[in-house]
Amino acid sequence: SQQGEEDPQALSIQEGENATMNCSYKTSINNLQWYRQNSGRGLVHLILIRSNEREKHSGRLRVTLDTSKKSSSLLITASRAADTASYFCANLAKGSNMLTFGGGTRLMVKP
Amino acid sequence: EAQVTQNPRYLITVTGKKLTVTCSQNMNHEYMSWYRQDPGLGLRQIYYSMNVEVTDKGDVPEGYKVSRKEKRNFPLILESPSPNQTSLYFCASSLRGQGEKLFFGSGTQLSVL
């Protein structure tokens, strides 16, 4: 079952702008991960944030986690055309062995 | 180079003809998993394996089989493929489990006619 929901489903911005993608989930989690997928290719891991963390950074990426709202966001700052891809969140529910992926946000960055 | 290798990249077959999609990782990972990706449905887990000879069903196991006889290999078997198994398939692995960073293969686009 797909527990995660991502918003927006699609986002189009100009190079240099920031892109924000949101992810919501339904149950308590151990951690949440963000992945990137270039068209039809394998997913690439971006960031993992644990349930006791509120914010994490990696280069131009910033991930926040609000467990009270059961939501996370991924911010890409100063976007580049090469950031064009689909972005997925995936959560590991507490007591579960299964990682559940959201439906993804398709990001297009126009040069 | 650390990687997950899936083969083939593309596969067209006919209903009922048994096929195997291979997956191999060279990172000594304990955990391996298969997903299918369909438009509008995201990634759904088919089967996963926590270690050699240990496999478990995911969300959508019907019509699929797996085996884990060696740590590095985790083949996906469709004994009697049907058109509703037309999909993009991904193998993934991690050091110990789903709570960790997953490494994905490049995908297998399967079409069942």
Side-chain angles (χ1 to χ4, degrees):
Chain A
S1 59
Q2 189 170 310
Q3 271 203 75
E5 301 265 340
E6 294 191 56
D7 170 57
Q9 289 189 330
L11 179 61
S12 181
I13 59 174
Q14 293 294 136
E15 213 165 23
E17 293 180 340
N18 294 343
T20 300
M21 289 158 265
N22 303 297
C23 167
S24 62
Y25 54 89
K26 294 179 182 173
T27 62
S28 295
I29 61 171
N30 281 321
N31 66 50
L32 187 140
Q33 303 179 44
W34 284 89
Y35 289 82
R36 166 195 167 122
Q37 182 183 32
N38 286 83
S39 181
R41 309 301 295 183
L43 281 71
V44 175
H45 183 268
L46 297 175
I47 287 186
L48 182 152
I49 186 164
R50 301 192 188 285
S51 60
N52 61 352
E53 296 175 312
R54 291 296 165 258
E55 190 170 307
K56 222 165 174 180
H57 296 254
S58 176
R60 293 183 296 112
L61 307 180
R62 173 179 165 243
V63 166
T64 60
L65 179 65
D66 187 335
T67 53
S68 67
K69 294 181 180 175
K70 293 187 169 59
S71 68
S72 174
S73 67
L74 170 67
L75 168 68
I76 304 174
T77 59
S79 63
R80 305 166 182 167
D83 293 328
T84 294
S86 290
Y87 292 83
F88 293 87
C89 67
N91 71 78
L92 182 69
K94 280 189 177 171
S96 170
N97 280 329
M98 242 188 293
L99 194 64
T100 304
F101 284 82
T105 294
R106 291 188 314 280
L107 173 66
M108 175 172 287
V109 182
K110 299 175 189 172
Chain B
E1 182 192 349
Q3 60 185 2
V4 177
T5 304
Q6 272 180 251
N7 280 298
R9 179 77 179 95
Y10 299 96
L11 181 57
I12 300 174
T13 190
V14 294
T15 299
K17 186 175 181 184
K18 180 179 179 179
L19 65 91
T20 300
V21 184
T22 63
C23 175
S24 178
Q25 50 90 8
N26 62 359
M27 296 169 279
N28 202 35
H29 283 173
E30 291 183 357
Y31 176 85
M32 297 185 76
S33 180
W34 277 101
Y35 295 88
R36 60 178 288 174
Q37 185 177 29
D38 302 287
L41 295 175
L43 271 86
R44 294 178 293 167
Q45 190 174 47
I46 303 170
Y47 269 96
Y48 64 95
S49 169
M50 299 297 287
N51 215 324
V52 176
E53 302 290 2
V54 180
T55 62
D56 272 302
K57 296 177 181 178
D59 272 336
V60 288
E62 295 78 21
Y64 304 95
K65 280 178 60 175
V66 293
S67 69
R68 187 93 183 271
K69 293 186 171 59
E70 308 162 280
K71 200 170 189 178
R72 63 184 294 123
N73 295 323
F74 191 45
L76 179 69
I77 303 153
L78 285 73
E79 298 224 321
S80 184
S82 62
N84 65 10
Q85 292 178 299
T86 292
S87 187
L88 179 57
Y89 290 85
F90 290 103
C91 180
S93 73
S94 74
L95 190 58
R96 279 181 297 267
Q98 301 206 60
E100 302 182 0
K101 172 181 176 179
L102 283 172
F103 293 78
F104 279 81
S106 297
T108 296
Q109 181 63 60
L110 172 65
S111 295
V112 183
L113 306 177

